[in-house]
Amino acid sequence: TKMITELSNGIIVPKQGTLYPIIYKLLEEGIITSYTELVNNKARVYYHLEDVGKVYLEKITKDYDELVKCIDLIVHGEEHYGR
């Protein structure tokens, strides 16, 4: 959640626990895997994006980009694109 907040310049601030349901779903679907490591007597969980996850990420990124274009077209109209 800290990284999302930093990367969005504080515009998106997820609450603690918000991401866990998403992480569990991605784990269940094999999109990511995880492993636990003990660091300074504290368990740390690390996540890895699997090859199927890379394909999934590419697809949802394209879907997102298309959605943004559609919304932009609705809000700004075709003249915004010089049509």
Side-chain angles (χ1 to χ4, degrees), residues 7 19 23 26 31 46 48 58 61-62 65 70 73 79:
L7 291 173
L19 297 178
I23 289 171
L26 294 173
I31 292 170
Y46 296 92
H48 173 75
E58 188 175 317
T61 300
K62 284 180 184 178
D65 289 342
C70 289
L73 188 59
E79 66 277 356

Side-chain angles (χ1 to χ4, degrees), residues 54-64:
K54 292 174 186 174
V55 172
Y56 177 73
L57 177 60
E58 188 175 317
K59 181 195 177 310
I60 65 170
T61 300
K62 284 180 184 178
D63 291 349
Y64 171 80

